[in-house]
Amino acid sequence: MSFQTVRKDRSNLEREKRFLIAHAAAHDRIYRYLRRRTENAATAEDLCAEVFRIAWEKSTDSESLSVMVLFGVARNVLRNHDRSSARSAKLIGELRPEQHGDPEALSRDSPLQEALHRLSPEDREVLLLTYWDGFNSREISDLLNTSATAIRMRLHRARKALGHLMQTEGAEQ
């Protein structure tokens, strides 16, 4: 066994160790993030596995995987899944034109969920990242590639819009 082989084996072991540490630290948070944004647990599990597959492939020998990097990968995987689902739904809709109902309407069982659904995607995302995923404005700014000040302003506007929607829905009922 040559010196280079030993060095390569040691490097692979260190890479694997860093990956396992990152996996243990972030798996549950990534899964919950995906579960709240997908239709069922199996889809969330599949997407979570895809996040960590990509993370393994992209990791290098000298780089550790932070939770923020993994959430960035998760957002991209979720966006790809959403685009694919939209294309599939459109195709199914074209194949069965008699079904024009809104399938999401069935899952909106609370005024809060309805109000969240009516928010803009940007407002909904900043609220969910803050209150459901527990990120602070600096972490969200890293994730969304913007400044922490912009995130705080978006969060303020999103809370205001959500409050307004909740009040109007309460008045309608």
Side-chain angles (χ1 to χ4, degrees):
M1 187 180 278
S2 72
F3 179 69
Q4 287 179 335
T5 305
V6 171
R7 209 157 111 187
K8 186 176 180 182
D9 288 343
R10 190 175 308 151
S11 174
N12 283 339
L13 286 175
E14 290 173 12
R15 177 180 175 217
E16 184 176 336
K17 182 179 177 183
R18 282 192 304 275
F19 177 80
L20 290 174
I21 290 169
H23 184 272
H27 180 271
D28 291 345
R29 286 179 74 185
I30 298 286
Y31 172 77
R32 287 190 306 267
Y33 171 82
L34 294 168
R35 179 61 186 107
R36 278 189 298 277
R37 289 161 175 83
T38 57
E39 58 276 359
N40 59 48
T43 302
E45 289 171 7
D46 290 344
L47 294 177
C48 191
E50 180 69 6
V51 167
F52 285 100
R53 183 195 62 79
I54 291 169
W56 172 256
E57 288 177 356
K58 300 290 183 186
S59 69
T60 63
D61 294 336
S62 63
E63 176 183 313
S64 66
L65 294 169
S66 71
V67 172
M68 295 309 296
V69 168
L70 293 171
F71 265 90
V73 172
R75 285 188 76 230
N76 291 335
V77 166
L78 186 60
R79 262 192 249 137
N80 288 340
H81 170 74
D82 289 344
R83 281 193 297 267
S84 175
S85 295
R87 285 190 303 267
S88 295
K90 182 180 176 190
L91 178 61
I92 289 170
E94 290 173 1
L95 294 175
R96 291 188 284 175
E98 69 277 358
Q99 295 181 352
H100 292 291
D102 181 8
E104 289 185 6
L106 301 174
S107 67
R108 295 186 213 135
D109 53 357
S110 78
L112 176 61
Q113 287 176 334
E114 177 64 32
L116 277 171
H117 181 75
R118 292 176 54 200
L119 284 173
S120 71
E122 295 80 19
D123 286 350
R124 185 173 43 251
E125 184 71 7
V126 76
L127 284 170
L128 291 175
L129 286 170
T130 300
Y131 295 108
W132 270 267
D133 297 314
F135 288 117
N136 62 38
S137 58
R138 185 188 52 73
E139 293 170 328
I140 296 171
S141 70
D142 290 343
L143 193 58
L144 300 179
N145 295 324
T146 188
S147 70
T149 304
I151 293 300
R152 286 190 291 275
M153 289 300 296
R154 282 174 56 184
L155 182 60
H156 172 73
R157 284 188 221 128
R159 282 191 295 237
K160 199 171 181 177
L162 181 64
H164 178 69
L165 286 171
M166 293 292 293
Q167 285 178 348
T168 58
E169 283 190 20
E172 290 173 1
Q173 295 176 357

